[in-house]
Amino acid sequence: MGELALVADIGRQSVRFGLTGGDAGLEPRDVRRFLVSEHPTFTSALVDYLTAVNLREERLPSVLAVAGAARGDLINLTGSRWYISLAGVEAVLRVPPRALNECAANALALTLLPASALTPLHGPAPRAVEPGGNYVVIGTGTGLGVAALISAGDRIVPVQSEAGHMSFAATTPDERKFADFCARKGLTLDVELLLSAPGLLLAYEALSDGQKLARPEDVTRGIGRDPAATAAVRMFTEHLGSFAGDLAMAFGAWDGVFFTGAIARALLPQLSDPGFRRRMESKAAFRRQLSEVPAALVNRNDLELLGAAAALGNA
């Protein structure tokens, strides 16, 4: 299973560290969480973790799953006062670290998940994620993350992206109402503006003529009772279907589309509705090919550390 290594899930408000490899296998263990508010720097939290697990003096390979674009030596974290210096991490661990976007880590985690971790959606049943296939992963939460897994010989390679910031294209009356509402507020229209937790609240505000709710759960709880909530959730899930079809074509992900994140899990009944699948397949030239693409919801919320561990085995 390889040598002992460190994995990290570095978010906006906290970081989780764990150990992987060695005789115990890839499944992350000795997982501990540290708050950004309690440490001046990322390396301060890292040193505290290594001290706690009695590995302060060890040489450790590592993979860091970061909430941001993993480019260059200095990595800025979206919405956080921390930044990551890979040279600084190397000075602590004595081995150059590897960094990847958290969505790419989510994607790689699929290579280690059992079939029981997947809930099939309408359409063909999901297939195992393995070399030879191409896949795309869409994560809905505080933002919208997208990554692909592309086969290269006997390996499967994660492709990081910022596809969530692609332009929003309105095609239904409600989507046009949403787009006009956002334009009046001076907001830049991208897909994430709708397909995220803040986007669900914004969708409700747009379709209720200005009424506001405090939490995304307030919108989902109103399904079937509140016409604006019902319409907002329908618009959200159907546009997610359309976006998924676009991404399947963009990445050649004919072997599977997977959805992760708290919002997707909360909307499982709506994602299982034929209207979601209809929008996913509604591409004139590739309707038949898209009808053969499996879609599934990932029903776990611990993918970042598992994906970082998978990256070590996929090097």
Side-chain angles (χ1 to χ4, degrees), residues 251-275:
F251 287 110
W254 308 116
D255 301 287
V257 176
F258 298 89
F259 299 90
T260 69
I263 298 296
R265 291 195 296 274
L267 297 179
L268 174 59
Q270 288 71 37
L271 293 177
S272 301
D273 187 86

Side-chain angles (χ1 to χ4, degrees), residues 142-166:
T142 55
L144 176 63
V146 174
L149 292 172
I150 305 299
S151 288
D154 60 354
R155 296 177 59 232
I156 195 161
V157 180
V159 177
Q160 306 177 64
S161 87
E162 292 297 335
H165 297 289
M166 294 168 66

Side-chain angles (χ1 to χ4, degrees), residues 64-124:
L64 316 178
V66 301
R71 292 172 56 84
D73 176 69
L74 289 180
I75 300 173
N76 292 313
L77 301 173
T78 305
S80 174
R81 64 182 177 84
W82 274 1
Y83 66 87
I84 310 298
S85 165
L86 297 185
V89 174
E90 181 178 357
V92 174
L93 297 178
R94 301 174 179 83
V95 180
R98 177 182 174 187
L100 73 165
N101 176 266
E102 62 182 351
C103 298
N106 283 345
L108 275 173
L110 297 180
T111 63
L112 300 180
L113 290 181
S116 60
L118 304 176
T119 300
L121 302 179
H122 194 73

Side-chain angles (χ1 to χ4, degrees), residues 187-267:
L187 300 173
T188 301
L189 270 169
D190 60 18
V191 184
E192 185 180 77
L193 194 63
L194 173 61
L195 299 182
S196 61
L200 190 56
L201 292 172
L202 192 62
Y204 180 86
E205 186 180 353
L207 300 187
S208 65
D209 296 323
Q211 297 181 52
K212 294 184 179 182
L213 294 177
R215 301 171 303 170
E217 308 94 271
D218 297 331
V219 182
T220 56
R221 287 172 185 156
I223 297 170
R225 297 184 292 106
D226 180 341
T230 303
V233 169
R234 182 186 304 113
M235 178 175 68
F236 184 103
T237 54
E238 291 188 359
H239 197 83
L240 181 58
S242 180
F243 185 55
D246 289 344
L247 293 174
M249 292 189 297
F251 287 110
W254 308 116
D255 301 287
V257 176
F258 298 89
F259 299 90
T260 69
I263 298 296
R265 291 195 296 274
L267 297 179

Side-chain angles (χ1 to χ4, degrees), residues 4-8 15-21 24-34 46 48-55 60 305:
L4 184 68
L6 177 136
V7 288
V15 57
R16 291 185 302 152
F17 295 108
L19 300 175
T20 184
L26 285 177
E27 185 76 26
R29 57 195 182 272
D30 294 319
V31 175
R32 303 195 185 188
R33 180 172 177 261
F34 298 82
L46 173 60
D48 272 10
Y49 175 75
L50 294 172
T51 302
V53 295
N54 298 313
L55 292 173
L60 288 173
L305 289 179

